[in-house]
Amino acid sequence: MLENCVAHKSVKCLRNSAGSPVSLMSSLQRVIMKSRLPPMCPNPRFPKPSDRGFRRQTDYNPLMWDEFFAEKKDVETKQGKFRVYLSGPTEPGAPLLVLLHGGGFSALSWAHFSSEVTKLIHCQCLAFDIRGHGDTYTEEEDDLSAERLATDVGNVMHVMYGESAPPIILMGHSMGGAICVHAANMFVLPSLIGVVVIDVVEGTALEALASMQSFLRSRPTTFKSIQHAIEWCVRSGQVRNVESARVSMPGQIINIETKQLATNELPLKADSATEEKLEFKHPNAIAEDAESGENASSSGNEDAAITPPATPTGTTSVNLRKYAWRIDLSKSEKYWEGWFSGLSQKFLDIHVPKLLLLAGIDNLDRALTVGQMQGKFQLQVLARCGHAVHEDRPHEVAEVLATYLIRNRFAQPTTDGQFLRHMPAC
């Protein structure tokens, strides 16, 4: 009755210029009638992302290093062989960005960042696998003390450039950031002009050490394929950028049988890549937003697909235990405190311009908070990213670094280097 009255009044009171009544449905009537309509029948051929059965297929096949770097080489020092990745040459006088990865990562974690930053400014990127990581093999590989790792940086640069090294910007993430600070305080790089540290602060780092062993034990110890290792990397949150994980994760695992880094098996054979793709086509197999507990394949759940059973037997056990971590970080525990103790003051004592890039403002400790208020270093915070800031948001990190280098007149923008200038901010 209410609907009829509303409609009747609406028609009765509205007339056109000729005086004839005009039938106009009121907004209230439209809402009421719309609510009475039956729901639209979904088209099964085009499911919506919100549908429970909808699962986006993600490509977890690995990417090659040469899509991001122009050259790779092995640098021989007195301590051993260090794997180095270089971007293309640049104009004379341009700075060299020496990139140090975090613990357990590899030089390939800088792949996307290197590709992005060289588009914005004139510079060359050099990333190398730290002792005990990636394709670097040295004497005393278990010696991961801060002094040893900082000395390695100086040795690699000396072998490559001698006394004619270009201006160097030392940039590191997590453990690599701590090594940057130690190297700068030890003056192992005479041509150092700047230091950039990504998401490492003394206070929070030391607090996190108490739970580090528990975190390491929670990770799967083996993977049945490179694709499954990349899948775990993304779904566990270690790296939130799938494209970055596809190039960086193969540098963190080795083939258990051959003891070779997984990058040495790339590109994958066509049949291997096709086999994995077919496995992932199951709608509940690998879902970017799948709930825990859903089946990962027809033979078991997602944990079984990544982490092998406790007592595997037969041929299946070989397949499930094909790859393992390149480095056992739990064995380096005795060096952890040495990486981070006194780090904040050492960072403030560096006499070249400094940039601290964090994933959250709450990570600052007291010494750095006071130092930042005194203008002793530039602080930039990027939200909506995890600990691997340069992998999760490589373009934004490249913009921050480009702004820092141009602001200090260390580099010049490229001809097409139009980008968002990030001013120091929290």
Side-chain angles (χ1 to χ4, degrees):
M1 292 295 294
L2 176 62
E3 297 91 325
N4 294 333
C5 293
V6 172
H8 176 71
K9 291 180 180 179
S10 172
V11 172
K12 184 177 180 180
C13 63
L14 294 177
R15 298 178 180 273
N16 59 16
S17 58
S20 302
V22 177
S23 177
L24 180 63
M25 185 182 296
S26 67
S27 60
L28 174 60
Q29 188 178 13
R30 284 197 299 269
V31 172
I32 294 174
M33 291 190 68
K34 185 178 180 181
S35 65
R36 288 190 170 189
L37 293 175
M40 293 183 63
C41 192
N43 189 337
R45 295 179 57 190
F46 303 99
K48 297 184 296 182
S50 59
D51 293 344
R52 183 175 179 82
F54 178 80
R55 293 293 181 265
R56 291 169 291 189
Q57 302 301 315
T58 304
D59 186 3
Y60 292 104
N61 285 306
L63 298 175
M64 292 284 291
W65 66 270
D66 55 6
E67 296 183 36
F68 307 94
F69 293 102
E71 179 186 5
K72 73 173 179 180
K73 60 172 65 175
D74 293 327
V75 177
E76 296 283 350
T77 71
K78 295 180 178 179
Q79 291 294 320
K81 179 199 70 164
F82 289 82
R83 171 60 56 85
V84 175
Y85 297 89
L86 287 161
S87 63
T90 185
E91 63 180 16
L96 175 69
L97 307 184
V98 179
L99 309 173
L100 306 182
H101 60 81
F105 290 81
S106 76
L108 293 176
S109 66
W110 297 101
H112 274 276
F113 167 80
S114 299
S115 178
E116 293 288 345
V117 74
T118 51
K119 296 176 184 176
L120 304 180
I121 57 174
H122 292 289
C123 67
Q124 186 176 27
C125 293
L126 184 155
F128 71 91
D129 291 329
I130 293 175
R131 173 188 297 259
H133 296 71
D135 255 333
T136 288
Y137 297 94
T138 64
E139 300 176 359
E140 301 178 346
E141 281 214 333
D142 294 334
D143 184 2
L144 298 180
S145 63
E147 293 75 15
R148 170 61 70 187
L149 298 181
T151 302
D152 286 341
V153 175
N155 291 339
V156 171
M157 293 300 102
H158 181 74
V159 170
M160 293 186 66
Y161 300 100
E163 301 299 328
S164 58
I168 290 178
I169 303 292
L170 196 54
M171 184 173 184
H173 164 247
S174 193
M175 178 198 75
I179 303 308
C180 287
V181 174
H182 288 283
N185 278 271
M186 293 170 62
F187 302 101
V188 297
L189 299 173
S191 61
L192 182 68
I193 60 173
V195 173
V196 181
V197 174
I198 297 181
D199 210 40
V200 57
V201 171
E202 177 186 353
T204 53
L206 291 176
E207 290 176 3
L209 294 183
S211 58
M212 185 58 64
Q213 287 288 5
S214 298
F215 166 75
L216 294 177
R217 286 193 297 269
S218 70
R219 303 192 305 175
T221 56
T222 58
F223 304 95
K224 72 175 184 180
S225 68
I226 299 176
Q227 288 93 333
H228 279 83
I230 296 171
E231 176 201 0
W232 173 86
C233 180
V234 175
R235 298 182 64 180
S236 67
Q238 175 173 302
V239 175
R240 302 182 182 182
N241 184 342
V242 178
E243 296 303 310
S244 185
R246 291 172 64 193
V247 63
S248 66
M249 192 62 187
Q252 303 175 41
I253 57 177
I254 59 172
N255 188 304
I256 295 177
E257 295 180 358
T258 64
K259 304 300 181 183
Q260 294 294 311
L261 201 68
T263 54
N264 296 314
E265 300 178 6
L266 303 181
L268 294 176
K269 296 180 181 179
D271 56 347
S272 174
T274 304
E275 180 182 354
E276 291 296 337
K277 284 184 178 179
L278 290 175
E279 233 178 87
F280 293 155
K281 283 184 179 179
H282 190 281
N284 294 326
I286 296 182
E288 199 169 49
D289 53 348
E291 298 175 3
S292 59
E294 291 186 65
N295 288 337
S297 66
S298 58
S299 60
N301 57 30
E302 69 177 26
D303 292 331
I306 300 176
T307 306
T311 57
T313 58
T315 306
T316 305
S317 66
V318 177
N319 294 334
L320 290 177
R321 293 182 177 273
K322 190 172 182 181
Y323 297 92
W325 295 103
R326 162 67 173 90
I327 180 174
D328 185 356
L329 285 176
S330 62
K331 295 181 179 179
S332 64
E333 182 177 9
K334 60 183 177 181
Y335 300 112
W336 294 350
E337 189 171 347
W339 295 342
F340 306 117
S341 292
L343 187 65
S344 294
Q345 191 58 50
K346 290 178 181 178
F347 177 74
L348 295 174
D349 291 341
I350 298 174
H351 296 296
V352 297
K354 304 173 286 294
L355 168 64
L356 178 61
L357 183 58
L358 299 178
I361 187 62
D362 54 337
N363 293 345
L364 278 181
D365 56 22
R366 180 176 180 179
L368 291 180
T369 301
V370 174
Q372 195 270 334
M373 295 175 66
Q374 295 175 342
K376 293 185 176 181
F377 63 92
Q378 177 179 331
L379 173 66
Q380 194 75 45
V381 177
L382 290 182
R384 301 185 304 279
C385 56
H387 178 52
V389 184
H390 60 299
E391 290 201 67
D392 293 348
R393 301 178 65 183
H395 182 71
E396 287 83 351
V397 174
E399 288 181 334
V400 170
L401 182 71
T403 302
Y404 159 77
L405 295 179
I406 294 173
R407 179 169 174 258
N408 286 281
R409 299 182 180 179
F410 293 152
Q412 295 296 324
T414 57
T415 54
D416 57 346
Q418 301 296 325
F419 60 92
L420 176 64
R421 306 294 176 91
H422 290 259
M423 292 296 104
C426 300

